Amino acid sequence: SQVLALKASGADTLVLFATPTPTIQGLVTAAKVGWSPANTFINNVSAVATFIKIAASSGAKVDGAISTGWTVDPSVSSESGFPGIALGKQVLAQYAPTVDPNNSLSFYGLSSAWTLIYALKNAGKTPTRAGLMNALKHLDPKKAKNPFLYPGVTLQTGPGDNFPIENEILAKWNGGATGGWNPFGSVFVGNR
């Protein structure tokens, strides 16, 4: 009903800041009711190639959709030479050989795991909850160099700043059900 209301309003932009299932449903519903907004924006939680391909295979018009990213993405050919892609595929092959090494969700997991391990290493000789929280609240981008982040994206927290990821790159989807995300522009710095 929300997609129908947007279409009826004459809106030219569809913004989906939802989890994957409602995002897929919203994209598919727009196509089924004949609404082709000029602009579609999808939050990075749902902007995983796996989910967008499901939507496209179900009839959604996904080409031209825009999202953001902050981790390296093995499904993007222009990122195949990034050191984080090679490291991630090596880690997955050794420790999780049944996990798809070309799924960006795998690299989100690696990025999150790296951050936790970094914080644990910096939580003190005998880690405590307080030490872990202190390490997480004092991420220094010069030291916390997560190899699974897109180049130019950093981890940084500090007093009054609990947002570790404040930099992102824009990406546009091309190729329908067999396509993928294509990063464009420069990394945006200091976003909230």
Side-chain angles (χ1 to χ4, degrees), residues 147-163:
F148 305 110
L149 297 182
Y150 189 89
V153 175
T154 58
L155 288 173
Q156 182 172 355
T157 55
D161 178 10
N162 293 322
F163 295 95

Side-chain angles (χ1 to χ4, degrees), residues 21-57:
T21 298
T23 297
I24 293 166
Q25 291 170 334
L27 292 166
V28 171
T29 300
K32 285 185 177 181
V33 300
W35 183 40
S36 297
N39 308 291
T40 300
F41 297 96
I42 303 169
N43 69 331
N44 64 6
V45 170
S46 296
V48 174
T50 304
F51 306 138
I52 303 306
K53 288 178 180 182
I54 291 170
S57 295

Side-chain angles (χ1 to χ4, degrees), residues 89-100:
K89 288 186 176 192
Q90 176 186 347
V91 169
L92 292 171
Q94 183 173 353
Y95 298 104
T98 61
V99 171
D100 181 0

Side-chain angles (χ1 to χ4, degrees), residues 52-169:
I52 303 306
K53 288 178 180 182
I54 291 170
S57 295
S58 300
K61 296 174 182 166
V62 294
D63 285 348
I66 294 175
S67 189
T68 60
W70 47 272
T71 60
V72 293
D73 186 341
S75 70
V76 176
S77 61
S78 64
E79 297 181 29
S80 64
F82 289 174
I85 298 289
L87 176 60
K89 288 186 176 192
Q90 176 186 347
V91 169
L92 292 171
Q94 183 173 353
Y95 298 104
T98 61
V99 171
D100 181 0
N102 295 309
N103 188 321
S104 61
L105 290 174
S106 303
F107 283 76
Y108 168 78
L110 289 169
S111 173
S112 298
W114 186 96
T115 303
L116 178 61
I117 291 167
Y118 175 86
L120 286 168
K121 286 181 176 179
N122 289 280
K125 187 174 180 180
T126 306
T128 62
R129 181 187 187 287
L132 177 63
M133 294 307 296
N134 185 56
L136 288 169
K137 290 184 177 213
H138 292 89
L139 293 172
D140 180 346
K142 293 177 183 166
K143 296 177 184 175
K145 295 185 179 189
N146 188 323
F148 305 110
L149 297 182
Y150 189 89
V153 175
T154 58
L155 288 173
Q156 182 172 355
T157 55
D161 178 10
N162 293 322
F163 295 95
I165 300 288
E166 297 175 6
N167 311 350
E168 296 180 315
I169 185 81

